[in-house]
């Protein structure tokens, strides 16, 4: 209708991006939170170690009678253990969340070939197509080199989508960074993953194998 406003989000990396892409799925949001959580712990450790090294470099005093320090040895044994626990618990939680399949609304079978992908919508009859990367000499002004394809897959947002992924020749990797999805396509093996889109848009990814 004329009064309806449609927003199209374009999600891809550019040369000036140094961080993760904006999340498009709940899984990617959780991965972003875990990234920030772990990065803050690493930042604290780096600052503390750097401060100790600098102070030891400029300190001219020594303790002649300090042959052992059991208390400090217990402390620097327990603190790394607690740090690893604070990283491991959210990491294990995320691993189980990423492997969970929740009543998918639609299933898309993805088959990797050298230089192109094949897609099949298993819930519908006779919906299957190949997706080739657009050659450089055929690109339009609005296309992206080495990213745009001639046939894009369409997936509903705010719905659980299951991907069944395999390959016919070599190992490929179906990757959409903004969705937090990266799964190998292995010949003779059927892998599956699930994701849900928070918003509509155009999302790009590249095979990383």
């Amino acid at each position: 209708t004329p009064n309806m406003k449609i927003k199209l989000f374009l999600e891809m990396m550019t040369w000036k991006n140094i961080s993760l892409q904006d999340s498009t799925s709940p899984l990617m949001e959780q991965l972003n939170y875990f990234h920030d959580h772990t990065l803050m712990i690493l930042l604290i450790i780096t600052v503390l170690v750097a401060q100790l090294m600098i102070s030891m470099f400029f300190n001219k005093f020594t303790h002649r009678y300090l042959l052992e320090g059991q208390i400090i040895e217990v402390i620097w044994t327990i603190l790394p253990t607690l740090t690893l626990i604070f990283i491991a618990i959210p990491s294990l939680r995320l691993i189980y969340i990423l492997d969970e399949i929740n009543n998918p609304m639609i299933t898309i079978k993805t088959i990797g070939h050298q230089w192109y992908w094949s897609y099949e919508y298993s819930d519908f009859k006779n919906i299957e197509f190949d997706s080739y990367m657009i050659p450089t000499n055929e690109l339009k002004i609005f296309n992206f080199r080495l990213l745009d394809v001639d046939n894009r897959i369409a997936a509903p947002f705010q719905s659980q989508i299951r991907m069944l992924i395999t390959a016919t020749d070599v190992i490929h990797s179906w990757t959409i960074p903004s969705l937090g999805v990266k799964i190998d396509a292995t010949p003779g093996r059927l892998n599956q993953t699930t994701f849900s889109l928070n918003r509509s848009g155009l999302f790009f990814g590249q095979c990383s194998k």
Side-chain angles (χ1 to χ4, degrees):
T1 60
N3 295 328
M4 183 181 297
K5 294 181 179 179
I6 299 176
K7 292 183 179 180
L8 181 65
F9 293 91
L10 180 65
E11 196 67 55
M12 62 177 292
M13 293 298 289
T14 59
W15 62 271
K16 60 183 179 179
N17 287 116
I18 59 174
S19 184
L20 300 173
Q21 295 185 17
D22 293 335
S23 60
T24 312
S25 67
L27 296 178
M28 190 58 190
E29 287 181 5
Q30 295 298 317
L31 289 171
N32 278 337
Y33 293 148
F34 177 69
H35 170 267
D36 297 339
H37 168 77
T38 308
L39 198 62
M40 184 57 63
I41 294 177
L42 293 177
L43 182 61
I44 294 172
I45 294 173
T46 304
V47 171
L48 287 177
V49 172
Q51 192 271 336
L52 288 173
M53 292 181 67
I54 292 172
S55 65
M56 290 176 62
F57 183 77
F58 291 104
N59 188 10
K60 303 299 183 182
F61 300 102
T62 58
H63 198 309
R64 293 192 303 168
Y65 304 105
L66 184 60
L67 299 179
E68 63 175 352
Q70 294 183 359
I71 296 178
I72 190 63
E73 288 177 1
V74 170
I75 291 175
W76 71 40
T77 302
I78 292 177
L79 283 181
T81 304
L82 294 177
T83 303
L84 291 176
I85 290 174
F86 279 116
I87 295 177
I89 290 177
S91 175
L92 292 173
R93 171 180 168 271
L94 260 179
I95 288 176
Y96 282 102
I97 290 176
L98 290 172
D99 284 339
E100 191 173 350
I101 306 294
N102 293 320
N103 298 326
M105 298 289 293
I106 187 173
T107 300
I108 304 174
K109 185 178 180 181
T110 306
I111 305 171
H113 309 273
Q114 288 189 356
W115 303 111
Y116 73 99
W117 293 89
S118 298
Y119 297 99
E120 300 176 5
Y121 286 77
S122 305
D123 301 299
F124 305 94
K125 292 183 178 180
N126 301 324
I127 300 183
E128 54 184 59
F129 56 89
D130 296 330
S131 181
Y132 288 87
M133 189 168 55
I134 300 177
T136 303
N137 58 348
E138 297 179 10
L139 289 173
K140 302 294 190 299
I141 191 64
F142 51 82
N143 290 138
F144 296 100
R145 180 176 173 270
L146 301 180
L147 286 175
D148 257 309
V149 294
D150 54 359
N151 291 316
R152 298 168 177 161
I153 64 168
F157 69 101
Q158 295 183 350
S159 301
Q160 284 292 328
I161 303 165
R162 177 174 61 179
M163 298 287 295
L164 301 177
I165 301 172
T166 186
T168 58
D169 38 37
V170 297
I171 298 177
H172 302 276
S173 182
W174 198 84
T175 309
I176 303 292
S178 60
L179 294 178
V181 174
K182 175 177 167 52
I183 185 167
D184 288 343
T186 308
R189 180 185 177 92
L190 194 64
N191 295 328
Q192 75 171 351
T193 186
T194 182
F195 58 88
S196 175
L197 296 165
N198 282 340
R199 50 190 169 89
S200 59
L202 188 59
F203 311 107
F204 291 94
Q206 284 182 313
C207 177
S208 54
K209 291 293 183 182

